[in-house]
Amino acid sequence: MSSAAAFLDDDEVSPKERLAELFEQIAELTGQRNAIDAQIVDIVAEIDHGGLAGMTGARSISALVAWKTGVSPRNAKTIAAVAARGGQFPRCV
């Protein structure tokens, strides 16, 4: 049963309480996604700074990121840019 169906069966939970629960879930998932993104940036930085991308056949780091992660080329370019400049902005990474 989906969480939406479970909600419809539970008359004791107000819509306001359910929304608060859903917002908590969003916050938790967003935190997990941010942690994963940071790990990806670290890996991309190691590939880039270690000169390891050359053996992949990818034309650029951002192309490599797009290929291996499935993100859009624009998001891949952002990830590659953050990885390249991580030393300048350690709090962002």
Side-chain angles (χ1 to χ4, degrees), residues 37-66:
D37 287 345
Q39 290 177 2
I40 290 171
V41 167
D42 287 343
I43 292 168
V44 171
E46 185 174 345
I47 291 170
D48 188 16
H49 298 214
L52 303 173
M55 64 181 105
T56 66
R59 293 180 177 229
S60 66
I61 293 294
S62 60
L64 176 66
V65 172

Side-chain angles (χ1 to χ4, degrees), residues 10-31:
D10 188 4
D11 293 331
E12 294 183 28
V13 177
S14 73
K16 186 176 182 178
E17 292 170 328
R18 181 61 183 151
L19 183 59
E21 291 173 6
L22 293 172
F23 282 165
E24 286 179 29
Q25 289 178 15
I26 287 173
E28 182 178 339
L29 291 170
T30 301

Side-chain angles (χ1 to χ4, degrees), residues 72-87:
S72 70
R74 183 177 178 132
N75 287 343
K77 189 173 182 178
T78 301
I79 292 168
V82 171
R85 299 182 68 191

